[in-house]
Amino acid sequence: MFDLVIFDCDGVLIDSEIISANMLIAELAKLGVEIDLAYVARHFLGRSYPTVMETIRREFHLTLPSEFEANYRAKLLQTFETELQVMPHVAEVIAALRLPYCIATSSSPMRAAKSLAMVGLGHLVGDGLFTSTMVAKGKPAPDLFLHAAAQMGANPARCLVIEDSLTGIRAARAAGMAVWRFTGGSHLKNHLPEEPEDARPDLRFASFAEFYQIAPELKVPQ
């Protein structure tokens, strides 16, 4: 059924979104912008920093200071050093996957590489790591997923995307790919946004321990 598995990174491979969201909420509050986790989940999850910045400008009539991004990223990576965790069972799933796989993320290349290295997934960084900086339009446009498939030599119709965000699901749908929604990240506990019709996955799962129960054919034969 599939020739390639494409994993999102934040909120799928690493349990980073709750850390990022809480820090963004705190940093924006210093500038008088009051948002909560539900707002972040609805508007920012799965999107690139420029999109977040534009949303804040449009919704709150605030242009973020030029140094905001650099300071936010530096604080975030510092916090990751002590708090970031790999998503449970994901390393075992990847190790047993019989298909080629890659990562397609809205994170910056540096943040993605450093984050994966921090949790013991540094071996995933390389030619199989694709970021929104490589395409004209990030998620929810299909560009990033289509770019990843093309670079990996896969037909989009035979790709499986693992995503946590509505933005990512929309991008996978627009790319003509199958998409499963992972709902086990800390950021989605009690904050699972309703899925509009254009952002409904083919299935949902809450733990990577269930991955090969759902699709045993994707596992290397014992």
Side-chain angles (χ1 to χ4, degrees), residues 179-183 192 195 199-206 210 214:
V179 56
W180 296 358
R181 188 180 194 188
F182 174 66
T183 61
L192 191 63
E195 296 167 353
R200 288 178 186 161
D202 295 290
L203 62 80
R204 303 163 195 81
F205 68 106
E210 306 169 15
I214 298 168

Side-chain angles (χ1 to χ4, degrees), residues 98-169:
R98 72 170 183 83
L99 297 180
Y101 60 87
C102 64
I103 301 169
T105 175
S106 296
S107 283
S108 68
M110 182 191 73
R111 173 178 156 179
K114 286 190 174 183
S115 299
L116 290 167
M118 286 176 192
V119 299
L121 297 179
H123 60 286
L124 303 183
V125 177
D127 293 340
L129 174 61
F130 304 100
T131 73
S132 58
T133 61
M134 300 176 178
V135 294
K137 295 181 180 179
K139 305 172 188 177
D143 300 31
L144 181 56
F145 288 137
L146 292 174
H147 175 72
Q151 293 300 306
M152 297 295 292
N155 181 341
R158 294 184 60 83
C159 293
L160 169 63
V161 174
I162 310 300
E163 265 285 357
D164 64 312
S165 71
L166 300 181
T167 298
I169 294 169

Side-chain angles (χ1 to χ4, degrees), residues 33 39 43-44 53-62:
V33 175
Y39 185 93
H43 297 283
F44 297 156
M53 186 169 57
E54 172 57 23
T55 301
I56 293 169
R57 186 197 64 76
R58 185 179 65 251
E59 297 292 328
F60 297 97
H61 309 290
L62 172 69

Side-chain angles (χ1 to χ4, degrees), residues 21-38:
N22 283 331
M23 179 161 291
L24 183 62
I25 290 168
E27 292 302 306
L28 288 176
K30 296 176 183 178
L31 299 175
V33 175
E34 299 292 338
I35 59 174
D36 56 16
L37 283 172

